[in-house]
C-alpha cells in the first residue's frame, strides 16, 4: 500500500496499528502471536507465497486461523496476469500449506470482485 492510503486509513480511526512494510519483512520482525491472520485481496501483489506462509506459521497462535484470498490460476501454480496481478492455483496453495504445517480447512472458489463489469475468479482459503 502507498503511504497515502495508510494515512487515509489511519484517519478513519478503525485500525489499531498500520505499518508500511514488505509483508515478508514485517512477518520476520513481528514477535507477537495472532489468533487470526487475514489477507483479503493482498496476494494479488505477491508472487511466490512461500516466505509469507513461513512467516504466518511463526506468528499464528495454536488453534489460530490463516484466511486469505487469491486470484485463481486454473493451469499454473503462479502466474503474472496481463493486469499485473498474480494468480495462484489451488494445488499451489495446498502444497504450501502442507510444507508449512497448515491444515487446509476449506478452499472455496468464488468471484473476488468485478473488473470492468466482469467477475474475477478467486479462491478463498481457510487454514489452521
Amino acid at each position: 500500500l502507498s503511504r497515502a492510503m495508510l494515512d487515509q486509513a489511519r484517519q478513519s480511526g478503525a485500525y489499531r496499528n498500520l505499518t508500511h512494510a514488505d509483508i515478508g519483512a514485517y512477518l520476520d520482525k513481528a514477535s507477537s502471536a495472532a489468533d487470526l491472520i487475514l489477507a483479503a485481496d493482498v496476494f494479488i501483489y505477491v508472487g511466490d507465497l512461500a516466505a509469507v506462509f513461513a512467516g504466518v506459521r511463526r506468528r499464528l497462535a495454536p488453534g489460530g486461523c490463516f484466511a486469505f484470498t487469491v486470484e485463481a490460476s486454473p493451469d499454473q501454480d503462479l502466474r503474472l496476469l496481463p493486469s499485473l496481478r498474480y494468480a495462484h492455483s489451488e494445488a499451489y496453495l495446498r502444497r504450501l500449506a502442507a510444507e508449512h504445517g497448515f491444515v487446509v480447512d476449506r478452499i472455496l472458489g468464488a468471484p473476488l470482485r468485478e473488473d470492468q463489469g466482469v467477475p474475477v475468479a478467486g479462491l478463498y482459503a481457510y487454514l489452521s
Side-chain angles (χ1 to χ4, degrees):
L1 294 174
S2 72
R3 290 192 189 277
M5 292 171 75
L6 289 175
D7 289 342
Q8 185 176 2
R10 192 172 286 110
Q11 290 174 8
S12 76
Y15 299 94
R16 186 181 322 156
N17 183 21
L18 294 167
T19 304
H20 187 258
D22 174 81
I23 191 169
Y26 176 81
L27 289 168
D28 282 344
K29 291 179 184 177
S31 59
S32 61
D35 294 322
L36 171 65
I37 296 178
L38 174 66
D41 222 13
V42 172
F43 297 152
I44 60 173
Y45 304 111
V46 182
D48 182 2
L49 297 176
V52 173
F53 273 60
V56 169
R57 177 76 276 159
R58 287 190 301 273
R59 294 265 339 263
L60 195 64
C65 178
F66 177 29
F68 59 90
T69 62
V70 296
E71 284 195 24
S73 173
D75 55 354
Q76 297 175 9
D77 283 353
L78 170 64
R79 187 167 63 148
L80 182 60
L81 302 170
S83 65
L84 300 180
R85 295 180 175 140
Y86 288 97
H88 304 84
S89 72
E90 182 173 345
Y92 176 70
L93 300 178
R94 288 183 180 279
R95 188 170 60 256
L96 283 177
E99 289 172 3
H100 294 279
F102 289 103
V103 172
V104 176
D105 296 317
R106 180 176 280 183
I107 297 179
L108 303 170
L112 293 175
R113 66 186 121 61
E114 289 189 1
D115 186 3
Q116 298 182 17
V118 178
V120 174
L123 298 172
Y124 294 72
Y126 305 89
L127 312 181
S128 56

